[in-house]
Amino acid sequence: MSVIVVGSMAFDAIETPFGKSNKIVGGAATYIAWSASNFTRPVQQISVVGGDFPQEELDMLEARGVQMEGVQIKKDRKSFFWSGRYHMDMNTRDTLETQLNVLGDFEPIVPDSYQGADILMLGNLSPAVQLSVIEQLKKRPKLIVLDTMNFWMDTAMTELEKVLQEVDVLLVNDSEARQLSAQYSLVRAAREIMKMGPKFLVIKKGEHGALLFHGDHVFFAPALPLDEVFDPTGAGDTFAGGFVGYLDSTKDFSFEGMKSAIVIGSAIASFCVEKFGTTRLKELTKSNIDERVQQFVELVNFDIALV
């Protein structure tokens, strides 16, 4: 079993109505790796960091079964940095500062030891970078999962369309699905997007759960109502990590298998928002996850007498 994860490893500085962090470790690939490693190992990381990225963070990930051969370390340069401020609803945010640094000219290299992975998880990066990873693989993975965002739809749509033709599963939020499809109805949006290549579409709706589409089939998984959402940064990437990690552990890539994976991803993401950064993910135990998944089961389980 193995999952290749491609994405950023970075620094974030976050402000929410409930607190403020100094510069902390973040990045899509970081969240995905912490999450996926709960279910499958090795996680084979492809990313780039500067000389300022803490070695102890890399060591902790390696101890979790995350392989770092594909992580480039540019010792004389700085890591990617993002700073943002969340509004009271915790769904909208303002970007205060973005420093691409080493991510600006990142050219991923797939190590020979990564060849033959079962799942490729392409975190949110430029479509050209995502496509270059696919093209470097000598054997197509059993499942290719792609995350993207509205920025690439605005600036690199031609390249994004090429990548979409190569993937099995697309992860986007509801506004991105509407933009990509030019449809307001998410059902119609799903039909249009699946014509572009993906066999499965997952539409993330934050605190309102997630939708799974495949052909004419639709599944909805709720989000767990939480007393407190402290920091939503990385929740979508944590969801993606739980999703692909669980799928790699089961090797069930059917619609039924995807349904279970969405619930697992939602459960892991519900932990991520409870503290700043990756703090909560580092504390998780199997019993924590099992209990949270059971809460999801109870949330949607009901008997009803038809009248």
Side-chain angles (χ1 to χ4, degrees):
M1 296 190 296
S2 59
V3 175
I4 296 175
V5 173
V6 186
S8 60
M9 300 179 73
F11 290 114
D12 295 328
I14 303 155
E15 295 180 37
T16 78
F18 310 106
K20 181 177 180 179
S21 78
N22 294 317
K23 187 182 283 190
I24 57 175
V25 169
T30 307
Y31 284 101
I32 294 169
W34 274 108
S35 181
S37 59
N38 285 291
F39 307 100
T40 187
R41 300 182 188 186
V43 174
Q44 299 173 321
Q45 201 86 327
I46 295 179
S47 189
V48 61
V49 297
D52 54 348
F53 199 84
Q55 183 62 45
E56 58 266 29
E57 291 288 339
L58 300 176
D59 293 342
M60 280 191 285
L61 282 168
E62 282 193 295
R64 291 273 298 199
V66 180
Q67 296 178 353
M68 294 294 176
E69 190 180 348
V71 177
Q72 302 171 25
I73 301 177
K74 309 288 187 180
K75 293 188 179 296
D76 58 342
R77 299 178 62 188
K78 290 184 177 182
S79 302
F80 175 75
F81 171 74
W82 175 84
S83 174
R85 180 188 297 120
Y86 286 89
H87 297 197
M88 182 59 75
D89 66 3
M90 300 294 271
N91 286 320
T92 53
R93 68 187 186 190
D94 300 319
T95 292
L96 303 179
E97 185 176 1
T98 301
Q99 298 176 12
L100 289 176
N101 297 327
V102 293
L103 202 62
D105 54 3
F106 176 42
E107 295 182 0
I109 298 172
V110 179
D112 289 340
S113 62
Y114 288 15
Q115 297 289 346
D118 290 327
I119 297 179
L120 171 62
M121 175 67 229
L122 295 165
N124 180 25
L125 291 171
S126 80
V129 169
Q130 293 171 328
L131 190 60
S132 75
V133 173
I134 295 174
E135 292 173 343
Q136 289 180 57
L137 296 177
K138 298 172 184 175
K139 179 182 177 184
R140 192 187 194 282
K142 295 175 182 175
L143 196 75
I144 299 179
V145 182
L146 174 75
D147 189 11
T148 192
M149 67 181 297
N150 51 6
F151 177 78
W152 305 117
M153 298 171 199
D154 293 333
T155 63
M157 190 60 196
T158 301
E159 291 84 354
L160 179 57
E161 288 174 337
K162 292 178 183 176
V163 181
L164 288 174
Q165 294 172 14
E166 303 294 329
V167 308
D168 302 295
V169 185
L170 175 65
L171 308 177
V172 288
N173 66 31
D174 46 356
S175 66
E176 292 159 351
R178 290 185 171 108
Q179 179 174 344
L180 185 58
S181 65
Q183 296 287 338
Y184 181 79
S185 160
L186 292 180
V187 175
R188 290 181 179 176
R191 285 198 205 104
E192 293 302 313
I193 291 169
M194 287 187 286
K195 290 177 185 176
M196 300 177 186
K199 302 176 185 67
F200 297 87
L201 172 67
V202 177
I203 299 180
K204 301 171 289 183
K205 293 171 61 64
E207 64 177 324
H208 304 297
L211 287 158
L212 170 68
F213 294 90
H214 173 60
D216 294 327
H217 301 289
V218 185
F219 173 71
F220 172 72
L224 192 70
L226 298 171
D227 284 342
E228 187 173 58
V229 176
F230 202 74
D231 173 20
T233 310
D237 299 312
T238 303
F239 171 93
F243 179 77
V244 298
Y246 179 78
L247 286 174
D248 194 50
S249 71
T250 64
K251 293 297 187 287
D252 182 358
F253 303 152
S254 67
F255 183 70
E256 291 301 314
M258 297 271 177
K259 286 163 63 174
S260 296
I262 279 195
V263 173
I264 294 293
S266 297
I268 298 294
S270 72
F271 286 111
C272 177
V273 303
E274 293 178 345
K275 293 185 179 181
F276 274 125
T278 58
T279 304
R280 190 69 180 97
L281 298 180
K282 294 173 181 176
E283 301 170 345
L284 288 185
T285 64
K286 185 179 184 302
S287 62
N288 292 150
I289 297 169
D290 290 344
E291 289 171 10
R292 187 61 57 93
V293 171
Q294 185 58 38
Q295 287 180 268
F296 271 84
V297 172
E298 293 170 358
L299 185 65
V300 296
N301 187 35
F302 62 91
D303 294 316
I304 186 169
L306 298 178
V307 295

